[in-house]
């Protein structure tokens, strides 16, 4: 089984990289990619455990681009995490995440739902870890301002809610370029829940390599639509669970969403 979309504690997953790989192996996954938000800090540990367990490991990343003021997630596969330009770009992305968490904390304070942002910001400045809204949601739950992660997003953190702070940063075309410069292939993540269909033809013209056809938030109709669109535009197919850990407040299961060996071969053929 092939799952190319997984998160660890290097970003907003709840399992350490080695534990995630062990859980994936137990769920029957044989090829995997770790795709943390704007960081490659989890890759070395995950690769070590995958090697130990005899799994195929593909280095990955999920980069947040900003398109028309909205977040657009771009996945990168086969990236060389050691490249200086790539590492510098990602450090800038994480810096903006810290700024955003600080501003969200200020808004929450003004809204009467203060969180202790100090430790969170410190972890965002440490060892390549990337922080974001799921960490703020966890802090809101811990302080008793909301009961669940979902309630934190619904009341405060979702786009348009009172503690939402827009991001600033690279466009999707720039992110695709950064991924290519790092030797990777670029896939548009979860276009269904991101409602990014209208961006796809333009991104294809900007060098996008693939569409994430299979995802936990895509039903069969969405999958069929994106598979057809990929074929029409000459794009490869990627996919995975987007698992963040059982305790992450997001109900996704390991070993339930995967792509075929043919899909992976098509993705790999886009490497240059
Ligand atoms: P950020 O990178 O800070 O913008 O946070 C985005 C992450 O928050 C996504 O990758 C999801 O893991 C999570 N997320 C986004 N929207 C929601 C939501 N409505 N409910 C729960 N989690 C969400
Ligand atoms: Zn996430
Ligand atoms: Fe995403
Ligand atoms: Fe993700």
């Amino acid at each position: 089984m092939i799952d190319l979309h997984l998160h660890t504690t290097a970003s907003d997953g709840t399992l350490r990289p080695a534990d995630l790989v062990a859980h994936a192996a137990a769920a029957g996954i044989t090829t995997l990619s770790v795709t943390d938000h704007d960081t490659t800090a989890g890759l070395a540990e995950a690769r070590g455990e995958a090697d130990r367990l005899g799994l195929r490991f593909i280095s990955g990343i999920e980069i947040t681009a900003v398109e028309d003021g909205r977040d657009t997630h771009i996945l990168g596969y086969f990236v060389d995490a050691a490249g200086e330009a790539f590492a510098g770009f990602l450090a800038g992305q994480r810096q903006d995440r810290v700024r955003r968490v600080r501003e969200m904390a200020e808004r929450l304070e003004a809204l009467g739902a203060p969180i202790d942002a100090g430790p969170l910001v410190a972890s965002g400045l440490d060892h390549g870890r990337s922080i974001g809204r799921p960490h703020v949601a966890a802090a809101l739950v811990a302080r008793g301002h909301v009961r669940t992660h979902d309630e934190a997003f619904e009341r405060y953190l979702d786009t348009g809610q009172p503690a939402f702070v827009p991001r600033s940063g690279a466009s999707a075309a720039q992110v695709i370029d950064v991924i290519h410069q790092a030797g990777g292939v670029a896939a548009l993540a979860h276009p269904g829940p991101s409602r990014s269909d209208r961006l796809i033809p333009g991104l294809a013209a900007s060098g996008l390599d693939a569409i994430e056809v299979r995802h936990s938030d895509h039903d069969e109709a969405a999958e069929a639509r994106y598979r057809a669109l990929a074929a029409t535009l000459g794009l490869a197919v990627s996919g995975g669970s987007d698992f963040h850990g059982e305790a992450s407040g997001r109900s996704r299961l390991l070993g339930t969403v995967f792509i075929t060996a043919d899909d992976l071969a098509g993705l790999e053929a886009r490497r240059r």
Side-chain angles (χ1 to χ4, degrees):
M1 202 182 319
I2 304 169
D3 187 336
L4 301 185
H5 195 153
L6 298 161
H7 293 273
T8 77
T9 48
S11 68
D12 54 1
T14 59
L15 293 174
R16 295 191 47 84
D19 293 336
L20 171 81
V21 174
H23 277 69
I29 291 166
T30 50
T31 295
L32 78 166
S33 184
V34 163
T35 53
D36 278 309
H37 301 282
D38 294 323
T39 182
T40 58
L43 297 186
E45 182 184 316
R47 181 182 292 283
E49 185 68 4
D51 287 350
R52 209 177 65 78
L53 296 174
L55 309 183
R56 179 170 183 208
F57 186 80
I58 294 168
S59 63
I61 184 94
E62 182 172 17
I63 299 179
T64 304
V66 184
E67 235 8 74
D68 300 336
R70 291 193 29 213
D71 287 3
T72 302
H73 291 184
I74 310 283
L75 295 155
Y77 295 112
F78 310 107
V79 288
D80 173 14
E84 242 172 73
F86 190 55
F89 172 83
L90 295 178
Q93 294 278 108
R94 293 193 298 273
Q95 201 66 44
D96 189 62
R97 287 176 167 274
V98 170
R99 172 205 58 91
R100 189 174 180 227
V101 166
R102 281 198 176 110
E103 286 183 31
M104 285 191 280
E106 282 166 21
R107 291 199 188 197
L108 287 168
E109 174 126 35
L111 290 162
I115 58 164
D116 184 8
L120 187 47
V121 165
S123 85
L125 296 170
D126 193 30
H127 293 112
R129 274 204 73 202
S130 88
I131 57 171
R133 287 180 291 166
H135 303 93
V136 176
L140 283 165
V141 173
R143 288 290 295 264
H145 297 306
V146 293
R147 277 203 307 269
T148 64
H149 185 94
D150 280 352
E151 191 186 343
F153 274 87
E154 278 161 30
R155 281 181 58 188
Y156 295 110
L157 304 174
D158 263 339
T159 311
Q161 293 315 114
F164 178 80
V165 175
R167 293 177 58 99
S168 57
S171 69
Q174 285 169 323
V175 168
I176 290 167
D177 203 43
V178 163
I179 289 169
H180 287 163
Q181 296 299 324
V185 304
L188 177 65
H190 44 68
S194 295
R195 281 177 260 129
S196 42
D197 288 25
R198 73 201 152 72
L199 299 177
I200 295 174
L203 296 181
S206 300
L208 185 74
D209 296 293
I211 299 175
E212 189 176 47
V213 168
R214 300 220 61 204
H215 184 270
S216 301
D217 293 332
H218 287 173
D219 59 16
E220 275 178 36
E223 260 178 52
R225 184 166 87 247
Y226 293 124
R227 195 173 279 278
L229 192 55
T232 304
L233 294 169
L235 299 174
V237 165
S238 74
S241 60
D242 206 358
F243 180 71
H244 283 72
E246 272 109 24
S248 65
R250 318 203 72 200
S251 49
R252 268 119 199 234
L253 289 177
L254 274 181
T256 56
V257 179
F258 45 85
I259 58 169
T260 66
D262 279 352
D263 289 336
L264 178 57
L267 190 64
E268 215 168 350
R270 303 283 302 211
R271 289 175 83 169
R272 58 212 80 194

